[in-house]
Amino acid sequence: MTTTAKWYDRRDSVFIEFCVADSKDVKVNFDKTKFGFSCLGGTDNVKHENEIDLFEAIDQNESKHKRTDRSVLCCLRKAEPGKAWPRLTKEKAKLTWLSVDFNNWKDWEDDSDDDHRVIFDFSLLSVL
């Protein structure tokens, strides 16, 4: 079963939040041009899996993820910082399980130090 997810773009990274409550056995695979996510979720331990051919390359060694009780947040570090991603995937196809996180989306023209604070705060989180 694919997991519903929200994503947003920042200058140095792309963030994806997978909405899975009570996730267990979280596995995140950061590859240069692909991204994989799987876990068991909920009280009935349903298996969730997503695989994405990414719009651009990422730095898999600098990418991270953090599990909470309600979701798994992934930070994909761009291989080319400063290059906007108009979409998350290589293909232009609309994925029913993926949406834009408008609460966290920011136009780069309005870019400020807040952008760096988000990335810095994320890096302080313990990585599983």
Side-chain angles (χ1 to χ4, degrees):
M1 149 179 245
T2 54
T3 306
T4 57
K6 300 182 290 187
W7 81 283
Y8 60 98
D9 185 34
R10 286 290 201 264
R11 192 170 296 279
D12 298 328
S13 303
V14 174
F15 292 85
I16 309 170
E17 184 174 18
F18 292 95
C19 307
V20 182
D22 302 321
S23 59
K24 298 176 235 10
D25 297 332
V26 174
K27 292 180 182 65
V28 178
N29 181 28
F30 299 110
D31 193 28
K32 190 171 177 73
T33 57
K34 272 188 194 286
F35 171 74
F37 169 81
S38 68
C39 72
L40 298 176
T43 53
D44 48 359
N45 286 327
V46 174
K47 179 147 177 122
H48 297 270
E49 283 187 288
N50 296 66
E51 187 167 288
I52 303 167
D53 286 321
L54 297 168
F55 178 75
E56 290 280 344
I58 60 168
D59 181 343
Q60 61 265 44
N61 298 322
E62 290 295 317
S63 297
K64 305 175 174 98
H65 75 281
K66 168 73 174 140
R67 185 201 157 278
T68 67
D69 288 339
R70 295 178 18 178
S71 66
V72 178
L73 180 63
C74 302
C75 172
L76 310 180
R77 182 67 67 158
K78 293 179 181 178
E80 291 183 52
K83 187 173 183 181
W85 287 25
R87 63 185 180 276
L88 181 64
T89 60
K90 185 175 227 156
E91 313 84 37
K92 288 186 177 182
K94 172 83 173 120
L95 302 173
T96 56
W97 56 268
L98 183 65
S99 62
V100 173
D101 185 347
F102 288 107
N103 291 333
N104 286 306
W105 195 274
K106 246 171 109 170
D107 287 331
W108 287 7
E109 296 80 50
D110 303 335
D111 203 8
S112 68
D113 290 334
D114 290 346
D115 199 30
H116 302 294
R117 182 181 51 78
V118 170
I119 293 168
F120 178 72
D121 287 351
F122 188 88
S123 67
L124 292 175
L125 297 173
S126 61
V127 176
L128 298 175

